[in-house]
Amino acid sequence: MFVNFDKAGTNMMKIAICDDEKNIRTYLSSLIKKQNGEYSIKEYASAKDYLADGKLYDLLFLDIEMKDDADSLDGMSLARKIRESDLEKQPVIIFVTGYEKYVYDAFDVEAFHYMLKPIDEEKFTEVLERAVKTAGRHEVSKPASLVLHFANSTKNIPIDHIYYIESEGHKVRLQLKDGSFSSYVKIGDLEEQLQENFFRTHRGYLVNLAYVEEYNRSEVTMTNGDCILISKYKYQEFVRTYLRYMSEKM
């Protein structure tokens, strides 16, 4: 028996700059190119152009008071359209603007940062570094699926199909959206590989944080209705980890 982890993501960070001022687009591009890392940069002069291109990006630098004569779509409206869409990947949005008055609106569209013009280069470097880590966290390090073997069966299991994993003697049982699957693999090995979105609530259980419905000091209730034991020694750490996980998803 062996376990194979298929990885998701690419090494190239895809960045879009959407601003109706060419000098600002050029300046932002130059600042990005000064940083360490591999970046693919695309510039857009209007919200209309960005939408028409239809490409997916990891990171979006977006002007707020940007107007397009054809549809009067400003940056904030574009951000709302992006957040309301069913895109398979949502970009990390950084607003770049000369006005402070929209800062509270930025929270409504889950903006990562609100950067005022003129742009401070040192501050830009700091914000970009944090934004890149946030944008790349799941794409680079999170396994997309597990390939598990048991007896004469082999199953490719998407990570987001797993509610939780339970240790059963010398094997584990994965509770899935479409049933369950057992395999001779140590739960500790899976914990090490799946630590990005999973938590070991008890020596015998590893839960997918995405499917936690509610919890108390003795158990975690999953969205499928199953109740999972939580060790009293793990409770405080679980709460911190779960709240941090949820804040990153907001």
Side-chain angles (χ1 to χ4, degrees):
M1 193 289 303
F2 62 91
V3 186
N4 180 49
F5 294 89
D6 293 335
K7 299 292 183 178
T10 62
N11 294 325
M12 183 74 71
M13 182 66 60
K14 296 182 286 296
I15 300 177
I17 301 171
C18 191
D19 196 303
D20 58 353
E21 297 181 68
K22 181 173 175 54
N23 62 318
I24 296 295
R25 298 197 306 271
T26 301
Y27 181 54
L28 289 175
S29 290
S30 69
L31 291 180
I32 294 169
K33 291 172 183 176
K34 285 183 180 181
Q35 314 306 315
N36 294 324
E38 296 182 40
Y39 305 109
S40 170
I41 306 169
K42 182 70 178 291
E43 297 179 18
Y44 298 93
S46 70
K48 178 183 177 182
D49 290 344
Y50 179 92
L51 290 173
D53 204 15
K55 293 183 178 178
L56 298 179
Y57 290 95
D58 301 298
L59 186 57
L60 170 61
F61 286 93
L62 181 59
D63 184 22
I64 293 181
E65 292 248 318
M66 175 182 54
K67 295 289 185 179
D68 183 280
D69 292 337
D71 56 14
S72 298
L73 191 66
D74 62 14
M76 190 62 70
S77 298
L78 173 59
R80 290 194 178 97
K81 281 183 174 291
I82 291 172
R83 292 301 187 234
E84 292 168 0
S85 70
D86 57 355
L87 293 173
E88 61 182 81
K89 176 197 286 187
Q90 287 277 340
V92 171
I93 296 177
I94 297 176
F95 282 119
V96 181
T97 178
Y99 305 91
E100 294 185 13
K101 62 183 179 180
Y102 299 107
V103 65
Y104 294 108
D105 293 325
F107 289 115
D108 293 336
V109 292
E110 302 173 20
F112 180 80
H113 199 81
Y114 192 92
M115 190 174 295
L116 289 173
K117 301 175 185 178
I119 299 165
D120 178 80
E121 185 170 343
E122 185 176 340
K123 182 64 175 178
F124 179 90
T125 299
E126 174 196 329
V127 172
L128 178 63
E129 182 179 350
R130 290 193 291 112
V132 165
K133 287 180 180 178
T134 297
R137 183 177 294 120
H138 302 297
E139 290 299 315
V140 174
S141 63
K142 189 177 101 173
S145 63
L146 302 177
V147 178
L148 294 175
H149 304 267
F150 184 70
N152 295 321
S153 299
T154 299
K155 191 174 182 68
N156 189 309
I157 304 171
I159 299 303
D160 60 5
H161 283 199
I162 305 172
Y163 287 114
Y164 62 89
I165 300 169
E166 180 180 3
S167 178
E168 295 181 331
H170 297 294
K171 64 180 186 294
V172 297
R173 179 176 64 86
L174 285 77
Q175 188 60 45
L176 310 172
K177 289 184 176 181
D178 58 352
S180 63
F181 187 81
S182 295
S183 181
Y184 284 108
V185 59
K186 294 179 180 178
I187 194 170
D189 292 340
L190 296 181
E191 178 186 13
E192 182 177 346
Q193 295 291 335
L194 299 172
Q195 58 184 327
E196 184 73 21
N197 287 348
F198 285 69
F199 187 87
R200 188 86 170 266
T201 61
H202 184 276
R203 65 182 181 180
Y205 293 97
L206 188 60
V207 302
N208 190 337
L209 296 173
Y211 299 120
V212 171
E213 180 72 25
E214 60 183 26
Y215 59 87
N216 56 43
R217 289 186 174 273
S218 61
E219 63 184 19
V220 177
T221 303
M222 309 303 291
T223 55
N224 69 340
D226 290 354
C227 293
I228 308 300
L229 289 175
I230 182 168
S231 166
K232 64 180 181 180
Y233 304 108
K234 292 276 193 175
Y235 179 73
Q236 294 297 337
E237 184 185 355
F238 168 77
V239 172
R240 288 194 298 269
T241 302
Y242 180 68
L243 293 178
R244 183 171 63 247
Y245 170 83
M246 293 303 295
S247 69
E248 291 173 353
K249 293 296 182 183
M250 292 177 63

